[in-house]
Amino acid sequence: MILSFKKSLYLGLAAIAVVAAVELTTTDASAKSYARITSNQVMQTAPQNRNVTTNGTNALYTKAGTLRGARMIASKYTLQRYGSSKLSSQYFRAYRVATTNRGAVYYKVVSFNGVYRGWIYGGRVNGTFAGGLNPANTMANANLPLQKTGYTLTNPQKYTLWVDPKWSRYKAKQVDMSSYSANDTFTITDAAVKTREQYLYYKVIDDKNSAIVGWVYSGGVAAPNSQQATKDNSVKINYVNPAGQSVGAYTWIIQKTDLKAGANMTDGAKLGDILQNSTQLSDVATKNVPTGYKISATQSPTNQPANVTVGSEDYLVYVDPIKANFLSPVAYYLTNTGQQISPSQLVGNTYPILTDAQMTIFSSQTQGIVPAKVFDNALFADPNKLASLTGVSVKNADGTMTTPIYYFNKQATIAANTTARYGDTLKLYYTLPQR
């Protein structure tokens, strides 16, 4: 009986030891299944280069999703809706970056509207947005209007000025308008459209107070010529090329303040007889030359400004096309590997086809440094042009097919072309999101 009891005791203790060992091993294995952070830093790149969209391939968490205790804040579905949204308020700004011991990169992001803030998987290259994020161009360049001076604000309370257009960046700020006067006029210096809503904005500067400068919705400004043009108050300026073909026109409405004392502005009146400044027409014509042209150096206008009459007579101004002496070809590279993307990797075995007019954004009359704003052009927000590249479908191991989509990476492109000059090959970088 004693031997039997001892044998049972030994067997019981052995069983307990095995169970304890199994539990210890299981606990250790479970702990090792979680990743740990090896680096966590505030991002130092320019804020406009950290605007991103979510694509719905990864969810948003309170911490890196593979860390112990990470809780979901926004699902993949929610982030897919934000990514395809037509509202600029649903962009995100990245502001911290962390790397795990497994080489995964996570970004801390906040939505422009402040609704969501958390961590999301961003690929495996620090500083490159992949995984659940795509780089975003919230604004794209637009053409300036022919008339650039003399604008007034229509409703400063409703359409005020912004340091950056509202919702074009996280926490965009309004311009201090405390010194603004209702009689102030503005000059337009830049134009851009919101990539999502396609709202047109102008950058303006107060002609009387240069401290008041910012962006305003195009509907919030009125041109000095906004009154109706008639044969009794206007002159039509017709711009023609060397072959005599019209390439643009501008209707100048003469203001009463431009007239000599006692002068009557009627159809047929000579400008030299009624204007205080008989050369004013030449100044207006020079300021409103169509984009891509310059006043001809060899062919003069068909009439002297002083002899031009109010009304039906056109003032013909000859212009020459501006020829670019330095055109930069473009090449396409994969951010993930640094390798050049060949045409054979893309649908149709070809790169995006750009017209000569579209290629002018990569050209200049001088061989200066290519400015970073070139990569803000609307072509880089157009999915049918340079916003993305569609790859040739590949067969997966399970027999399914995947079509890779390469997304334009503005941040990597700017970094690769900081010293590029017009005439050099520009490297356009695209990111293939990690699945």
CSV table of all heavy atoms in Angstrom, one decimal, residues 88-109:
chain,number,residue,atom,x,y,z
A,88,SER,N,-13.3,66.5,-49.2
A,88,SER,CA,-11.9,66.8,-48.8
A,88,SER,C,-11.7,66.6,-47.3
A,88,SER,O,-10.6,66.4,-46.8
A,88,SER,CB,-11.5,68.2,-49.3
A,88,SER,OG,-11.4,68.3,-50.7
A,89,SER,N,-12.8,66.8,-46.6
A,89,SER,CA,-12.7,66.7,-45.1
A,89,SER,C,-12.4,65.3,-44.7
A,89,SER,O,-12.1,65.0,-43.5
A,89,SER,CB,-14.0,67.1,-44.5
A,89,SER,OG,-15.1,66.4,-44.9
A,90,GLN,N,-12.5,64.3,-45.6
A,90,GLN,CA,-12.2,62.9,-45.3
A,90,GLN,C,-10.9,62.4,-45.7
A,90,GLN,O,-10.6,61.2,-45.9
A,90,GLN,CB,-13.4,62.0,-45.8
A,90,GLN,CG,-14.7,62.4,-45.0
A,90,GLN,CD,-15.8,61.5,-45.4
A,90,GLN,OE1,-15.8,60.7,-46.4
A,90,GLN,NE2,-16.9,61.5,-44.6
A,91,TYR,N,-9.9,63.3,-46.0
A,91,TYR,CA,-8.5,63.0,-46.2
A,91,TYR,C,-8.0,62.7,-44.8
A,91,TYR,O,-8.6,63.0,-43.7
A,91,TYR,CB,-7.8,64.1,-46.8
A,91,TYR,CG,-7.9,64.3,-48.3
A,91,TYR,CD1,-8.5,65.4,-48.8
A,91,TYR,CD2,-7.5,63.3,-49.2
A,91,TYR,CE1,-8.7,65.6,-50.2
A,91,TYR,CE2,-7.6,63.5,-50.6
A,91,TYR,CZ,-8.2,64.6,-51.1
A,91,TYR,OH,-8.4,64.8,-52.4
A,92,PHE,N,-6.7,62.2,-44.7
A,92,PHE,CA,-6.0,62.0,-43.5
A,92,PHE,C,-4.7,62.7,-43.6
A,92,PHE,O,-4.1,62.9,-44.6
A,92,PHE,CB,-5.8,60.5,-43.2
A,92,PHE,CG,-7.0,59.8,-42.7
A,92,PHE,CD1,-8.0,59.4,-43.6
A,92,PHE,CD2,-7.1,59.5,-41.3
A,92,PHE,CE1,-9.1,58.7,-43.1
A,92,PHE,CE2,-8.2,58.8,-40.8
A,92,PHE,CZ,-9.2,58.4,-41.7
A,93,ARG,N,-4.1,63.0,-42.4
A,93,ARG,CA,-2.8,63.5,-42.3
A,93,ARG,C,-2.0,62.5,-41.4
A,93,ARG,O,-2.4,62.2,-40.3
A,93,ARG,CB,-2.8,64.9,-41.6
A,93,ARG,CG,-1.4,65.4,-41.1
A,93,ARG,CD,-0.5,65.8,-42.2
A,93,ARG,NE,-1.0,66.8,-43.1
A,93,ARG,CZ,-1.1,68.1,-42.9
A,93,ARG,NH1,-0.6,68.5,-41.7
A,93,ARG,NH2,-1.6,68.9,-43.8
A,94,ALA,N,-0.8,62.1,-41.9
A,94,ALA,CA,0.1,61.2,-41.2
A,94,ALA,C,1.0,62.1,-40.4
A,94,ALA,O,1.5,63.1,-40.9
A,94,ALA,CB,0.9,60.3,-42.1
A,95,TYR,N,1.3,61.8,-39.1
A,95,TYR,CA,2.2,62.6,-38.3
A,95,TYR,C,3.2,61.9,-37.4
A,95,TYR,O,4.1,62.4,-36.9
A,95,TYR,CB,1.4,63.6,-37.5
A,95,TYR,CG,0.4,63.0,-36.4
A,95,TYR,CD1,0.8,62.9,-35.1
A,95,TYR,CD2,-0.8,62.6,-36.8
A,95,TYR,CE1,0.0,62.4,-34.2
A,95,TYR,CE2,-1.7,62.1,-35.8
A,95,TYR,CZ,-1.3,62.0,-34.5
A,95,TYR,OH,-2.2,61.4,-33.6
A,96,ARG,N,3.0,60.6,-37.3
A,96,ARG,CA,4.0,59.7,-36.6
A,96,ARG,C,4.2,58.5,-37.4
A,96,ARG,O,3.3,58.0,-38.1
A,96,ARG,CB,3.6,59.4,-35.1
A,96,ARG,CG,3.5,60.5,-34.2
A,96,ARG,CD,3.4,60.0,-32.7
A,96,ARG,NE,4.6,59.4,-32.3
A,96,ARG,CZ,5.6,60.1,-31.6
A,96,ARG,NH1,5.4,61.4,-31.4
A,96,ARG,NH2,6.7,59.6,-31.2
A,97,VAL,N,5.4,57.9,-37.2
A,97,VAL,CA,5.7,56.6,-37.9
A,97,VAL,C,6.4,55.7,-37.0
A,97,VAL,O,7.3,56.1,-36.2
A,97,VAL,CB,6.6,56.9,-39.2
A,97,VAL,CG1,7.9,57.6,-38.8
A,97,VAL,CG2,6.9,55.6,-39.9
A,98,ALA,N,6.0,54.5,-37.0
A,98,ALA,CA,6.6,53.5,-36.1
A,98,ALA,C,7.0,52.2,-36.9
A,98,ALA,O,6.3,51.9,-37.9
A,98,ALA,CB,5.7,53.1,-35.0
A,99,THR,N,8.0,51.5,-36.5
A,99,THR,CA,8.5,50.3,-37.1
A,99,THR,C,8.5,49.2,-36.1
A,99,THR,O,8.9,49.4,-34.9
A,99,THR,CB,9.9,50.5,-37.7
A,99,THR,OG1,9.9,51.6,-38.6
A,99,THR,CG2,10.3,49.2,-38.5
A,100,THR,N,8.0,48.0,-36.5
A,100,THR,CA,8.0,46.9,-35.6
A,100,THR,C,9.3,46.0,-35.8
A,100,THR,O,10.0,46.2,-36.7
A,100,THR,CB,6.8,46.0,-35.8
A,100,THR,OG1,6.9,45.3,-37.0
A,100,THR,CG2,5.5,46.8,-35.8
A,101,ASN,N,9.5,45.1,-34.9
A,101,ASN,CA,10.7,44.2,-35.0
A,101,ASN,C,10.6,43.3,-36.2
A,101,ASN,O,11.5,42.6,-36.6
A,101,ASN,CB,10.8,43.4,-33.7
A,101,ASN,CG,9.6,42.5,-33.4
A,101,ASN,OD1,8.5,43.0,-33.5
A,101,ASN,ND2,9.8,41.3,-33.0
A,102,ARG,N,9.4,43.2,-36.8
A,102,ARG,CA,9.2,42.4,-38.0
A,102,ARG,C,9.4,43.2,-39.3
A,102,ARG,O,9.1,42.7,-40.4
A,102,ARG,CB,7.8,41.8,-37.9
A,102,ARG,CG,7.6,40.8,-36.7
A,102,ARG,CD,6.1,40.4,-36.7
A,102,ARG,NE,5.9,39.5,-35.5
A,102,ARG,CZ,4.7,39.1,-35.1
A,102,ARG,NH1,3.6,39.5,-35.8
A,102,ARG,NH2,4.6,38.3,-34.1
A,103,GLY,N,9.7,44.5,-39.1
A,103,GLY,CA,10.0,45.3,-40.3
A,103,GLY,C,8.7,46.0,-40.9
A,103,GLY,O,8.8,46.6,-41.9
A,104,ALA,N,7.6,45.8,-40.2
A,104,ALA,CA,6.4,46.5,-40.7
A,104,ALA,C,6.4,47.9,-40.2
A,104,ALA,O,6.8,48.3,-39.1
A,104,ALA,CB,5.1,45.8,-40.1
A,105,VAL,N,5.9,48.8,-41.1
A,105,VAL,CA,5.8,50.2,-40.8
A,105,VAL,C,4.3,50.6,-40.5
A,105,VAL,O,3.4,50.2,-41.3
A,105,VAL,CB,6.4,51.1,-42.0
A,105,VAL,CG1,6.2,52.6,-41.7
A,105,VAL,CG2,7.8,50.7,-42.2
A,106,TYR,N,4.1,51.4,-39.5
A,106,TYR,CA,2.8,51.9,-39.1
A,106,TYR,C,2.8,53.4,-39.0
A,106,TYR,O,3.8,54.0,-38.6
A,106,TYR,CB,2.3,51.3,-37.8
A,106,TYR,CG,1.9,49.8,-37.9
A,106,TYR,CD1,2.8,48.8,-37.9
A,106,TYR,CD2,0.5,49.4,-38.1
A,106,TYR,CE1,2.5,47.4,-38.0
A,106,TYR,CE2,0.2,48.1,-38.2
A,106,TYR,CZ,1.1,47.1,-38.2
A,106,TYR,OH,0.8,45.8,-38.3
A,107,TYR,N,1.7,54.0,-39.5
A,107,TYR,CA,1.6,55.5,-39.4
A,107,TYR,C,0.5,55.8,-38.5
A,107,TYR,O,-0.6,55.2,-38.5
A,107,TYR,CB,1.4,56.1,-40.8
A,107,TYR,CG,2.6,55.9,-41.7
A,107,TYR,CD1,2.6,54.9,-42.6
A,107,TYR,CD2,3.6,56.8,-41.6
A,107,TYR,CE1,3.7,54.8,-43.5
A,107,TYR,CE2,4.7,56.7,-42.5
A,107,TYR,CZ,4.8,55.7,-43.4
A,107,TYR,OH,5.8,55.5,-44.2
A,108,LYS,N,0.7,56.9,-37.7
A,108,LYS,CA,-0.4,57.4,-36.9
A,108,LYS,C,-1.0,58.5,-37.7
A,108,LYS,O,-0.3,59.4,-38.2
A,108,LYS,CB,0.1,58.0,-35.5
A,108,LYS,CG,-1.1,58.3,-34.6
A,108,LYS,CD,-0.7,58.5,-33.2
A,108,LYS,CE,-2.0,58.6,-32.3
A,108,LYS,NZ,-1.6,58.9,-30.9
A,109,VAL,N,-2.3,58.5,-37.9
A,109,VAL,CA,-3.0,59.4,-38.8
A,109,VAL,C,-4.2,60.0,-38.1
A,109,VAL,O,-4.7,59.4,-37.2
A,109,VAL,CB,-3.4,58.7,-40.2
A,109,VAL,CG1,-2.2,58.2,-40.9
A,109,VAL,CG2,-4.4,57.6,-39.9
